[in-house]
Amino acid sequence: MTRFPGESEERTAIAWGRTALAAAGLGVLLLRLALDRDSIAEFVGAALALLAGAGFAWRGRSSYRSPVASVTALRLLTGALAGSGLATCIALL
């Protein structure tokens, strides 16, 4: 198998893009649920998921340019997505 320069960075950027799309999709679904139920916790969850999606998209673009990972950024993005799930679980109780 022949490896081309930059091939792994491109695959990594594509994976970050898929993750961003999934997080943004979750945010849109939570926003729809929040609008139907008028729940503040669901609005918070939707906002966190949308912010995490935007952060994942930004991380994907920056990892394509410079593959050095920032652990702090990854922790913040993961925390935002986990907070989104927690806020939604609280709202559904």
Side-chain angles (χ1 to χ4, degrees):
M1 181 166 88
T2 304
R3 304 288 302 232
F4 296 102
E7 188 176 295
S8 62
E9 289 87 1
E10 184 176 358
R11 283 195 311 266
T12 301
I14 290 169
W16 279 107
R18 285 192 307 260
T19 304
L21 186 60
L26 174 67
V28 168
L29 290 174
L30 290 176
L31 186 60
R32 170 68 186 205
L33 186 64
L35 290 173
D36 287 343
R37 296 182 181 197
D38 288 332
S39 171
I40 297 297
E42 289 172 358
F43 276 114
V44 170
L48 286 173
L50 289 170
L51 283 173
F56 286 133
W58 170 79
R59 182 66 194 123
R61 291 181 66 77
S62 65
S63 71
Y64 185 66
R65 293 186 188 115
S66 172
V68 177
S70 169
V71 175
T72 305
L74 295 178
R75 287 181 181 161
L76 288 173
L77 291 172
T78 303
L81 202 55
S84 168
L86 182 64
T88 303
C89 288
I90 290 170
L92 294 176
L93 291 178

